[in-house]
Amino acid sequence: MQSSYAETFERDMGCTETEWLGWLPAAIGSCPWQLDGGSARVDIAPGALQLRWQVMPPRVIALMRMPVLRVNFAFSGLDAAQRFAFMKRFDLYMQRGGG
């Protein structure tokens, strides 16, 4: 988790689009949202978050292939504290690990 989140930023997620769409509802919680192809708008009172994603070529490390989904985050109408509060939950729900 980061200590702050800019109004706009981009991330490479190690997942398929299907996985991303499966995780997204839990990550955004009770915020209303609308899906439109490769993008979604999340209403976060008093503002919003526009998500756009694009499937990228897989990351290859030796014999391992990992899917890559490039996601653009664009907040509007939210201050730094509001962005942090939303992303704290979002990041916790999107974390994946093994062990």
Side-chain angles (χ1 to χ4, degrees):
M1 187 175 328
Q2 297 174 208
S3 60
S4 65
Y5 296 86
E7 286 185 295
T8 62
F9 59 93
E10 189 172 81
R11 284 186 177 167
D12 283 350
M13 307 287 291
C15 62
T16 66
E17 185 174 24
T18 300
E19 290 169 330
W20 164 259
L21 290 172
W23 302 334
L24 192 57
I28 63 175
S30 62
C31 295
W33 64 294
Q34 296 175 328
L35 180 64
D36 183 19
S39 69
R41 177 188 164 87
V42 182
D43 294 323
I44 309 164
L49 167 62
Q50 183 69 45
L51 295 165
R52 289 187 171 78
W53 56 88
Q54 176 183 5
V55 176
M56 302 301 289
R59 186 163 290 131
V60 179
I61 304 170
L63 296 176
M64 184 185 81
R65 296 172 63 83
M66 181 183 303
V68 177
L69 191 68
R70 182 156 297 154
V71 182
N72 179 272
F73 294 73
F75 287 96
S76 60
L78 297 171
D79 63 25
Q82 292 164 323
R83 292 191 305 269
F84 180 82
F86 177 84
M87 289 302 299
K88 181 178 177 181
R89 175 194 171 91
F90 187 92
D91 282 347
L92 285 173
Y93 273 85
M94 287 291 180
Q95 283 181 352
R96 297 293 176 259

